[in-house]
Each structure stands twice: as C-alpha cells, then as structure tokens.
C-alpha cells in the first residue's frame, strides 16, 4: 500500500471511528479525553492543503492511538495486522514488526478460533457489522491472556471491507478471580454435599432452617425440603429446647467452643445425641449460623455399655475371693482388687505403684522377673505354683499366680494382668496330710510287722517254754555240786535272754499290758537310772523330778524295758561319754496333739530323756521307730529297742516324740495319761518254791507245753488234768467241775480262743479261778479278760519258781 493510500486509510479510520476510539479509553480522565478531541480533525477543517491536513490528523490519531491503555489493532480484510499500538504489543509480548507478520487467527487460542471465525464470517457476509467477544490470546512465551475484544469492519462505498479495527481489554485477572471463585464454590458445594458431618444453615433472626446437607437429612430422617420448612426448636425434644438454646447462646458469646451431648429428635420420634460446632456468617445479606453436627449416639451408647460392663466386671472382681492385679512392664501395680489388699494387708493407695521387689524376697523377685520375662517374650500365659509374698505385718504367705500379657489397641505390650490365690493354708494342709499319711503308713507297717512278729514270738515262747520246763525239772533233781548243774543254769540264762528278746518283739507289736499297776514314775525312773549308771560309769546322769508327780497306770516290766532302751540308745550315741538328763513334769495336752493317733485331752505325765550325743539327721529320725532299723554295724544291734519302746508307749495310750540335730544331741519326750488311783507298793518276791495239792485244769493247744507243764505242776504237788484246746477243756470241766480248783488257760488256740473258753467256763462256774498263760495277747485281750474277772496272768516262758508263786497268788486270793 502506498503512502498516500495509507494516509487515506488512516484519515478515513480517524474520521469514521474517533468517537468510538475515545469512548473505548476507560482509563483516560476527562481532561485527557478533551485534549485528544481537540487534536482530531473534522470535516470542518480549513487547512491550506489536503495533504497537510491528513498529516496533522494522523499525528493527532497516533497520539491517541498510543496513549490508550487498551490494545488497538488494525488489520486488512484478510486479517493481517497493519498496525498495533503499544498496549497491544505489551499485552502479547511481541514486537510490532513480529505482529505485522501475523493474523488475528494466529494469536487466537486454538479453543477460541472456531467461535471467532464464525463471528468474523458473519461480519464478512454483512449479517453484522461488529461483534464483542471474550477470548484468549496467545502470548509470545506460550501462555495466554483473557481479553474482551470489540471488532469492527470498515467498508468502502461498495460495501466491501477495507480494514478491521480491534480494541482489546485485558481481563485476565478478572477471569482468574472468577475461575477461582467458581472453583471455591464448587469445592465448598462438594464439601457441603459430601461431608460426613451434618450441616445446617439457620437464619439467626427467624431460627428458620435455610440449608441442609444430605448428612444432616440422613441423621434426622427428613428430606431437605422438609427441613427448610422447619425451625430450630422443631428438631429438639420439647423438654430440652430451653437448655439447648442456652447452650447455643453460650457458644455464640464465646463462652464455649462446642455444644456437647445435644439431644435431637428424628422424624420417627427416636432420640439421638450430637455435638454441635457453629459459626456466624452473612449469606445473601442475611445473618446466619452454620452448625456442624456430629452424631455421637453410638459412642455414648458404647461408653454407657462400657461403663456398665466395667462396673459389672469391677463388681465381679471385687466380690471374688481370688486376687486380681495389673502391673506395668516395670512390675509396678496399676490396679488391684480388694482381695489383693486383704491378702497382703495393704490399703489400695499403698499398693498402687508398689513394685514386686518391695513385697517379696530377692530370690522370689528374681524368679518372678524370669516368669514375666517369658510371658513378655512368648506372649503366652504362665503359672507360678508357689509365689512367696511378705505381707505388711512381715508375715510370709504363699500365693498361686497366673499371669498374661496386656496389649493396647496398637498391639503394643503395656504390662501384665493376672489372678492370685492365697494357698498358704492349703500348702500347710498338704504338708500335714503328707505327714499324716507318712504316720499312717508307718502305723500300718508297724501293725503288719507286729502281727508277723507277734506270731513268731508266740511260737518262739512256746519253744522256750519247753526248754525252760525241762531245765527246771532237771535242776530240781540235781544237787548244786553236780557237774551239769552249772551248764543247766547257763541254759536257763539263755532262755531268759531269749524271752527278753521276744518281750521286745511283743512290745513293738503292742500285744497287750499284762501286769498294769498304778505307779509313780519318779520311783521307776530313779531305780532304772541307778541300775544303768552302775554299769556305765562314763555317763553322767542328772535328775530333775517334779514333786507330787501324778501317778500313771503302766506295766512296770514293760516300762522298765522302755527306759532301758532309751538309756542304751543315749549311751550308744555318746561313745566317748557324756551327760544324760532325766526330767519329769505334770502337763496338760490338747486334743489331737499327736495326729493321726487322737488322744484324750487332759493331764499327762511327761518324761524327758536328753543326751549330749552325736544326734540324728531328719532322715534317720523318720525311721528310728521302725522295727529292725539300726545304724549300728551288722551283729551289734537288732533294731528292736526303739521299735519296742514305741509300741509299748502307744499301747499305754501314750505319746513319744523325738527331737534331734546332728552333733547337738537328742531329746526323747514320753507322755503318759495321769491316773486318779493310788500307787500300789510292790511286795518283795520270795525265792522259795511254793507247792500245793489242788486240782488244776491245764489248757494249751501245744502238746509240748501241756506235757512239760503237767510234769512241772505235778512236781509242785498239784493234780493236773491236761486239755488240748478250749472245746476239750469245756467238756472236761462240765464232767468234773466240782473237783477242779484252778484253770491255767492259754490265750491262743485254733479251735476256741482263750477269751471264748474263759466266758463259757465262767457261765458254768462264776467263781472259778482262772490263770491266763500266753506268749502274747491279740489286740490287748489279755487285759480285757483280766478286767472281766480273770485272776491273773503269766507270760511264757516261765520257770518253776515263777509258776509256783503265781499259782499260790491266785489260789490264795
């Protein structure tokens, strides 16, 4: 285009669009707009030449063109830029020379080109002369701006487009603000609609519900339309409305941040509880409260159920006898029930925080650490059968404990819980039970051995009776200077030693007391001690006898054997000599003093025999009363002494205890029931053979005993009628009872026992005199027969002098 042509275009442009251009400068103040108007040409101009006028007009146009803050572009009919102002190049970042090589389409955002071309085509077709559009322009750096574009087509006289005029206003900031607002509204709309919390918007003045989100609709059971027709008081129970409004008022005044446990009424009439947080805002010029509702009904119900459960289980824990405890990982109590407090003697506040090292011994604390460490590592419960605890008073108790690991909600170990039981008395009972079982077992063993030994002793005594009878007859016919007399006397002493051995066997077998007499044990003990001391000079004997000692009823011969056994036992425990302390005392014993052998509580006489010997350990003490048990070398003891002692004491309804420590001596204590009878003085024995002429019925199942007995009695002058058993004796007695003066009756016979034979003989002749003779008596029946009227007892084997004295004692009584 030629310069004249360009000038013509500009002139035409200025003349035709000056007004619109001025109107499109929003930032120009009125003074600037007036100055610009004065520089523009008009059709009334009177310049000398037209060329000069055009140049002046273009100059004035250029001033306005570049001064406006709006982007102005002039393009040819094809859309190529002819000219752009400074604001335009600044908007798009291009230089003017770069812009002039481009079209409107080139700088239009691809997404807006179609819409722009459509409007441009409408102008070209004459449908419209201009258009206004919001569109995006591409900047040189690749980003874009938003602009409001006013595009106008300038036409010639033929109506053809001569050029395009475009005026652009940068609205990028406004569009970004609108977009941000739209996005914000979208986000908040989404939060409102999809919030898990119920949201209600309430007009402050009218208390009408303005907006409700789906969550609050679901929470209350209403639709949004229904809620919008309601007021605040409609969604709360009538009786709670005043309290609810007071809570809201305190919250609006800043006195509290949250209204808690607010009751709400659902559409179906059921009640729920919510926490409400609210804030005050202006919506459409109306003051409103936005309330955020959190349904806590399930939580409250769960908490209530938990409280009830905790209360129930706490009541259970407080009512059970077992102790329940919880400790932390350090072993400090964090919870205990009342039973634990009672067991340990501490108050609750004293136990909480107490460590297990404070109420156990170091050994027990170490043991418990190992147990809890195993529970911690393996996660499995553990039991402790015997857990020793030191109570507040210092007393020791034994607990049985079961413990398990405690974990929190994150499965992290936080401590231990468990049950404890006080088993102190149970353990004592078990020990006592074991002791009693041991004693019962010992008693049963003694009974079994006694039965066996008693039978052997009986038969052995019958044999000794045969020896003794023959020896007595032989000595009766020999002079003292006969060469065989000494041998026979030696044999007689051997029989006596054999009878003493069987007497010991019968003692621990407890086969009766035969010659029971009321006795002062001081006299018996003093006599026995003096006899023993004469043979054992290395033993120093010390006596401490109580005056006015209560009398007792004993078989003196058996009890002398008891004392001798104890003296010998002490002497053997003091091989280098020592001291023997003898003491008597009146005492009272309680019931069940010597379980399992129950005794009658009451007055007893106690004899204490104490030595300074080598003592015994616990294992030996448990066996010393067993028959045939001995610590002596083979051939140096029978093991019958203390067994016999035990049997004799028990058979006298007495008690014998032993206490000993290794290298600290031994104490034997004997308890015998006191008697209210007077002591009977013992008559001196004569060595003269006593004879007679009475008729005697001799009853024994042993033929040897009957034969030798008949000869012995006949030597003494008696008429003897032999009987081989109880049945035969009854028959003989019935036939010749008027001439029989005395019956010598054996206790043990196979066809009829001595006890039964005695009763039948007494039925026939009540005043009949009977002398019992036996190697032993079963279950103390000899004593029973003596109590039923029998006149005397003599134990086999007996010699000629003994039987002669006993027969005269019975016949002359």
């Amino acid at each position: 285009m030629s310069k004249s042509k360009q000038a013509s275009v500009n002139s035409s442009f200025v003349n035709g669009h000056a007004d619109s251009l001025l109107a499109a400068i929003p930032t120009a103040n009125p003074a600037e707009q007036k100055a610009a108007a004065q520089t523009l040409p008009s059709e009334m101009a009177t310049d000398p030449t037209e060329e000069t006028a055009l140049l002046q007009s273009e100059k004035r146009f250029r001033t306005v063109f570049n001064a406006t803050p709006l982007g102005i572009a002039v393009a040819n009919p094809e859309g190529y830029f002819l000219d752009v102002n400074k604001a335009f190049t600044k908007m798009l970042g291009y230089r003017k020379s770069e812009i002039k090589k481009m079209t409107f389409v080139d700088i239009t955002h691809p997404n807006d080109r179609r819409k722009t071309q459509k409007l441009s085509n409408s102008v070209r077709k004459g449908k419209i002369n201009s258009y206004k559009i919001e569109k995006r322009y591409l900047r040189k750096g690749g980003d874009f701006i938003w602009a409001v574009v006013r595009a106008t087509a300038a036409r010639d006289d033929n109506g053809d487009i001569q050029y395009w005029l475009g005026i652009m206003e940068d609205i990028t900031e406004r569009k970004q603000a609108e977009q941000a607002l739209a996005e914000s509204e979208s986000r908040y709309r989404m939060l409102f609609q999809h919030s898990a919390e119920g949201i209600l918007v309430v007009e402050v003045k009218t208390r009408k519900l303005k907006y409700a989100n789906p969550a609050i609709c679901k929470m209350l059971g209403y639709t949004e339309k229904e809620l919008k027709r309601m007021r605040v008081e409609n969604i709360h129970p009538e009786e709670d409305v005043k309290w609810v409004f007071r809570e809201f008022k305190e919250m609006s005044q800043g006195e509290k941040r949250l209204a808690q446990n607010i009751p709400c009424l659902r559409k179906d009439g059921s009640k729920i509880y919510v926490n409400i947080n609210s804030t005050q805002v202006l919506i459409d010029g109306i003051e409103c409260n936005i309330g955020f509702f959190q349904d806590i009904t399930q939580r409250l119900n769960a908490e209530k159920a938990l409280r009830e459960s905790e209360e129930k289980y706490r009541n259970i824990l407080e009512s059970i006898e077992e102790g329940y405890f919880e400790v932390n990982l350090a072993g400090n109590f964090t919870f205990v029930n009342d039973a634990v407090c009672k067991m340990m003697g501490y108050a609750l506040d004293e136990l909480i925080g107490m460590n297990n090292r404070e109420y156990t011994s170091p050994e027990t604390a170490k043991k418990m650490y190992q147990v809890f460490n195993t529970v911690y590592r393996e996660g499995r419960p553990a039991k402790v059968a015997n857990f020793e605890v030191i109570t507040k008073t210092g007393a020791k108790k034994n607990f049985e404990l079961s413990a398990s690991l405690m974990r929190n909600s994150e499965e992290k170990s936080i401590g231990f819980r468990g049950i404890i039981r006080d088993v102190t008395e149970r353990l004592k009972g078990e020990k006592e039970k074991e002791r009693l079982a041991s004693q019962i077992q010992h008693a049963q063993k003694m009974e079994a051995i006694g039965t066996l030994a008693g039978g052997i002793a009986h038969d052995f005594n019958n044999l000794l009776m045969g020896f003794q009878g023959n020896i007595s007859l032989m000595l009766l016919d020999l002079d003292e200077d006969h060469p065989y007399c000494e041998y026979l006397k030696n044999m007689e002493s051997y029989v006596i030693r054999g009878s003493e051995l069987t007497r010991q066997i019968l003692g621990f077998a407890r086969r009766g007391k035969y010659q029971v007499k009321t006795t002062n044990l001081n006299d018996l003990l003093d006599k026995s001690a003096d006899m023993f001391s004469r043979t054992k000079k290395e033993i120093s004997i010390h006596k401490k006898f109580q005056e006015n000692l209560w009398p007792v009823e004993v078989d003196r011969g058996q009890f002398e054997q008891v004392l001798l056994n104890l003296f010998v036992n002490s002497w053997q425990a003091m091989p280098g000599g020592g001291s023997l302390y003898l003491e008597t005392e009146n005492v009272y014993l309680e019931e069940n003093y010597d379980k399992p052998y129950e005794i009658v509580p009451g007055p007893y006489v106690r004899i204490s025999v104490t030595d300074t010997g080598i003592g015994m350990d616990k294992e030996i003490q448990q066996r010393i009363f067993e028959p045939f048990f001995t610590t002596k070398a083979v051939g140096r003891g029978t093991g019958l002494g203390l067994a016999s002692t035990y049997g004799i004491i028990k058979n006298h309804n007495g008690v014998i205890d032993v206490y000993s420590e290794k290298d600290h001596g031994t104490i034997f204590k004997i308890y015998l029931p006191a008697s209210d009878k007077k002591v009977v003085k013992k008559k001196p024995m004569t060595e003269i053979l006593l004879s007679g002429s009475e008729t005697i019925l001799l009853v024994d199942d042993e033929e040897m005993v009957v034969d030798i007995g008949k000869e012995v009695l006949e030597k003494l002058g008696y008429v003897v009628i032999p009987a081989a058993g109880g049945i035969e004796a009854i028959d003989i007695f019935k036939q010749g009872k008027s001439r029989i003066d005395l019956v010598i009756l054996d206790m043990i016979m196979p066809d009829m026992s001595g006890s039964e034979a005695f009763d039948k003989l007494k039925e026939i002749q009540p005043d009949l005199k009977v002398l019992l003779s036996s190697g032993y008596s079963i279950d103390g029946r000899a004593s029973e027969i003596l109590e039923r009227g029998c006149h005397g007892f003599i134990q086999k084997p007996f010699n000629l002098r003994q039987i002669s004295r006993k027969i005269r004692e019975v016949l002359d009584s």
Side-chain angles (χ1 to χ4, degrees):
M1 182 181 294
S2 65
K3 187 174 181 180
S4 60
K5 180 74 172 177
Q6 178 68 53
S8 175
V9 171
N10 287 343
S11 177
S12 176
F13 166 72
V14 170
N15 290 332
H17 298 284
D19 291 338
S20 62
L21 182 60
L22 287 173
I25 306 176
T27 58
N29 59 40
E32 290 174 337
Q33 289 182 359
K34 184 176 181 182
Q38 290 174 351
T39 64
L40 293 177
S42 68
E43 292 182 2
M44 301 301 295
T46 58
D47 289 326
T49 63
E50 184 179 357
E51 185 70 23
T52 300
L54 286 173
L55 288 175
Q56 291 177 349
S57 176
E58 183 177 350
K59 183 178 181 180
R60 288 191 293 274
F61 163 76
R62 185 61 59 186
T63 299
V64 175
F65 185 72
N66 286 316
T68 178
L70 299 178
I72 302 174
V74 180
N76 63 20
E78 288 75 26
Y80 283 96
F81 291 103
L82 300 175
D83 198 4
V84 293
N85 69 350
K86 291 181 180 180
F88 189 90
T89 59
K90 186 178 181 180
M91 285 181 190
L92 298 181
Y94 290 102
R95 293 192 299 272
K96 185 180 289 188
S97 60
E98 293 174 324
I99 287 291
K100 287 186 176 182
K101 296 177 183 179
M102 304 171 72
T103 67
F104 275 107
V105 175
D106 294 333
I107 63 171
T108 299
H109 193 281
N111 293 342
D112 295 334
R113 286 174 182 171
R114 185 177 180 182
K115 179 170 59 174
T116 303
Q117 287 175 346
K118 186 177 180 180
L119 291 171
S120 297
N121 290 336
S122 296
V123 174
R124 285 190 176 97
K125 292 177 181 180
K127 294 180 180 180
I128 57 175
N129 193 47
S130 64
Y131 62 86
K132 180 182 179 182
I133 185 175
E134 289 184 3
K135 59 182 291 188
R136 286 164 288 185
Y137 281 109
L138 296 173
R139 284 175 51 81
K140 183 177 181 179
D143 57 344
F144 64 89
I145 64 169
W146 278 95
V148 176
V149 181
R150 301 178 182 86
T152 303
R155 298 176 184 275
D156 57 18
D157 295 338
N158 298 324
D160 295 327
I161 296 176
Q162 287 184 298
Y163 52 86
W164 291 91
L165 173 64
I167 301 174
M168 296 180 296
E169 180 184 358
D170 189 347
I171 61 170
T172 303
E173 290 184 1
R174 192 195 79 192
K175 292 294 286 186
Q176 289 175 344
E178 290 176 352
Q179 184 177 358
L181 180 60
E183 290 175 355
S184 176
E185 288 182 350
S186 176
R187 283 196 298 271
Y188 285 110
R189 173 61 61 181
M190 181 181 68
L191 288 174
F192 183 80
Q193 293 295 327
H194 299 285
S195 172
E197 287 189 334
I199 302 175
L200 270 180
V201 180
V202 180
E203 293 181 2
V204 174
K205 186 175 182 179
T206 63
R207 296 202 296 268
K208 290 182 62 177
L209 307 184
K210 189 175 183 65
Y211 300 108
N213 75 337
I216 194 67
C217 294
K218 183 178 180 181
M219 198 178 293
L220 298 177
Y222 293 98
T223 64
E224 184 179 6
K225 289 183 179 180
E226 290 174 325
L227 285 174
K228 285 183 176 181
R229 294 195 295 267
M230 300 169 66
R231 294 162 62 90
V232 172
E233 53 265 34
N234 300 136
I235 64 170
H236 298 288
E238 184 177 354
E239 64 273 16
D240 296 319
V241 169
K242 289 184 179 179
W243 172 73
V244 170
F245 283 169
R246 188 163 58 249
E247 289 287 299
F248 289 164
K249 183 178 180 181
E250 292 177 1
M251 190 163 51
S252 66
Q253 292 173 348
E255 297 178 15
K256 60 174 58 178
R257 185 184 63 83
L258 187 69
Q260 295 180 302
N261 302 335
I262 303 299
C264 289
L265 270 182
R266 286 174 50 82
K267 184 177 181 179
D268 60 8
S270 61
K271 186 184 291 188
I272 63 171
Y273 291 87
V274 297
N275 286 346
I276 303 176
N277 190 358
S278 73
T279 184
Q280 204 163 31
V281 295
L282 280 174
I283 300 177
D284 301 331
I286 300 174
E287 193 174 15
C288 297
N289 269 330
I290 301 177
F292 299 89
F293 290 63
Q294 181 185 11
D295 189 348
I296 60 170
T297 308
Q298 288 187 350
R299 192 192 77 193
L300 292 179
N301 290 338
E303 289 175 353
K304 180 181 178 183
L306 180 60
R307 286 194 302 271
E308 292 175 350
S309 176
E310 286 180 347
E311 184 177 357
K312 179 177 71 174
Y313 285 106
R314 183 177 292 275
N315 290 336
I316 292 174
L317 289 176
E318 293 299 340
S319 63
I320 62 175
E321 294 184 2
E322 288 82 0
Y324 175 82
F325 71 90
E326 293 179 1
V327 296
N328 59 23
L329 293 176
N332 303 318
F333 280 124
T334 57
F335 176 82
V336 294
N337 69 345
D338 188 54
V340 175
C341 298
K342 291 179 180 177
M343 288 179 188
M344 300 181 65
Y346 289 95
L348 178 62
D349 58 349
E350 292 176 314
L351 278 179
I352 298 301
M354 185 181 290
N355 190 272
N356 57 16
R357 291 189 296 273
E358 300 177 59
Y359 55 84
T360 59
S361 64
E363 296 79 11
T364 302
K366 182 178 179 181
K367 175 182 176 182
M368 296 312 300
Y369 171 79
Q370 293 171 345
V371 170
F372 282 111
N373 189 40
T374 301
V375 174
Y376 179 82
R377 286 185 291 101
E378 299 181 0
R380 293 181 297 184
K383 289 186 178 181
V384 181
N386 192 351
F387 171 36
E388 188 177 78
V389 169
I390 302 171
T391 66
K392 186 176 181 178
T393 62
K396 292 183 178 180
K397 287 187 176 183
N398 296 93
F399 288 174
E400 183 180 81
L401 178 148
S402 59
S404 60
L405 191 64
M406 285 197 307
R407 293 186 173 93
N408 59 16
S409 59
E410 299 175 354
E411 290 299 311
K412 183 179 178 181
S413 301
I414 58 173
F416 307 91
R417 64 164 60 94
I419 296 290
I420 55 176
R421 300 175 183 85
D422 187 346
V423 295
T424 308
E425 295 303 321
R426 191 189 78 189
L427 291 179
K428 287 182 180 178
E430 288 176 354
K431 290 181 180 178
E432 179 67 10
K433 186 177 179 181
E434 291 176 2
R435 188 181 75 85
L436 294 180
S438 176
Q439 289 189 356
I440 291 172
Q441 185 180 17
H442 176 72
Q444 291 172 340
K445 181 165 60 177
M446 292 284 287
E447 184 71 22
I449 295 176
T451 301
L452 175 64
I456 295 173
H458 172 265
D459 292 341
F460 191 59
N461 275 340
N462 282 334
L463 289 173
L464 292 176
M465 185 69 244
F467 281 110
Q468 180 63 62
N470 281 284
I471 292 170
S472 296
L473 290 174
M474 292 171 70
L475 287 173
L476 190 63
D477 294 336
L478 292 177
D479 294 332
E480 287 290 332
D481 57 353
H482 193 283
Y484 294 149
C485 186
E486 183 178 355
Y487 298 127
L488 290 173
K489 286 184 178 181
N490 287 338
M491 292 174 66
E492 189 174 40
S493 68
Y494 298 152
V495 170
I496 292 173
R497 290 178 62 183
S499 66
E500 289 176 353
L501 180 61
T502 57
R503 189 176 295 113
Q504 286 190 358
I505 294 175
L506 292 173
F508 79 73
R510 287 184 276 166
R511 297 307 182 186
K513 305 183 293 292
Y514 311 116
Q515 300 181 29
V516 176
K517 293 183 180 179
T518 307
T519 304
N520 187 319
L521 288 180
N522 282 345
D523 297 337
L524 196 61
L525 190 59
D526 188 52
K527 175 185 174 184
S528 299
D530 288 346
M531 290 178 60
F532 182 75
S533 66
R534 285 196 291 268
T535 61
K536 302 294 184 292
K537 300 295 185 180
E538 69 274 22
I539 303 299
S540 175
I541 299 180
H542 307 271
K543 303 173 185 176
K544 183 181 179 182
F545 298 158
Q546 180 169 338
E547 295 182 5
N548 301 318
L549 192 69
W550 294 327
V552 295
E553 295 183 39
V554 296
D555 185 314
R556 293 182 184 182
Q558 289 184 351
F559 206 74
E560 286 175 349
Q561 185 66 47
V562 166
L563 296 175
L564 180 60
N565 290 339
L566 293 178
F567 296 164
V568 170
N569 188 79
S570 295
W571 166 68
Q572 291 173 339
M574 298 183 289
S579 297
L580 187 63
Y581 297 88
L582 308 179
E583 183 178 357
T584 59
E585 186 179 4
N586 297 328
V587 296
Y588 282 90
L589 293 186
E590 299 293 335
E591 190 174 4
N592 299 328
Y593 173 80
D594 188 37
K595 293 181 179 180
Y597 304 104
E598 296 183 0
I599 62 174
V600 178
Y604 283 77
V605 175
R606 180 174 66 197
I607 298 175
S608 299
V609 179
T610 305
D611 65 55
T612 57
I614 59 176
M616 297 175 282
D617 57 28
K618 296 296 183 183
E619 184 178 354
I620 293 177
Q621 287 184 58
Q622 292 175 356
R623 300 190 63 190
I624 58 173
F625 295 122
E626 293 182 9
F628 310 115
F629 173 76
T630 179
T631 58
K632 304 179 186 69
V634 176
R636 296 185 58 85
T638 61
L640 293 174
L642 291 179
S644 173
T645 297
Y646 180 87
I648 291 171
I649 297 300
K650 286 298 181 182
N651 202 39
H652 281 75
N653 299 318
V655 177
I656 181 167
D657 279 346
V658 60
Y659 177 78
S660 181
E661 291 185 10
K662 197 71 174 175
D663 301 324
H664 289 83
T666 301
I667 302 174
F668 285 97
K669 291 184 179 181
I670 298 172
Y671 299 85
L672 293 174
S675 174
D676 56 1
K677 296 180 182 180
K678 293 184 178 180
V679 176
V680 178
K681 295 294 183 180
K682 186 177 181 181
K683 297 179 181 179
M685 295 180 63
T686 178
E687 294 294 325
I688 303 174
L689 288 176
L690 303 176
S691 60
S693 58
E694 289 89 346
T695 300
I696 298 176
L697 176 60
L698 179 60
V699 186
D700 201 303
D701 64 314
E702 290 286 344
E703 183 179 354
M704 173 186 62
V705 175
V706 172
D707 290 344
I708 193 66
K710 183 175 182 295
E711 288 189 46
V712 167
L713 294 176
E714 286 177 346
K715 285 287 185 181
L716 293 174
Y718 296 103
V719 177
V720 180
I721 302 172
I727 295 176
E728 185 179 345
I730 299 300
D731 292 340
I732 292 173
F733 188 77
K734 286 180 179 179
Q735 296 173 8
K737 63 179 181 178
S738 59
R739 61 185 179 87
I740 295 175
D741 301 296
L742 175 68
V743 177
I744 298 178
L745 181 62
D746 186 25
M747 279 293 299
I748 305 302
M749 297 179 289
D751 59 348
M752 180 182 289
S753 69
S755 177
E756 187 179 354
F758 173 80
D759 291 338
K760 290 186 179 298
L761 291 171
K762 280 290 190 177
E763 288 177 4
I764 298 171
Q765 185 177 332
D767 60 348
L768 177 66
K769 293 184 177 181
V770 180
L771 175 63
L772 291 179
S773 173
S774 181
Y776 74 105
S777 64
I778 297 177
D779 299 329
R781 288 182 181 175
S783 299
E784 296 176 4
I785 297 172
L786 289 171
E787 292 174 359
R788 297 207 304 268
C790 185
H791 294 77
F793 175 85
I794 187 167
Q795 187 172 2
K796 301 173 186 176
F798 47 79
N799 59 31
L800 199 58
R801 286 184 296 276
Q802 291 171 331
I803 189 64
S804 71
R805 291 195 303 270
K806 182 60 69 175
I807 289 174
R808 292 318 314 168
E809 181 181 314
V810 173
L811 288 174
D812 297 340
S813 62

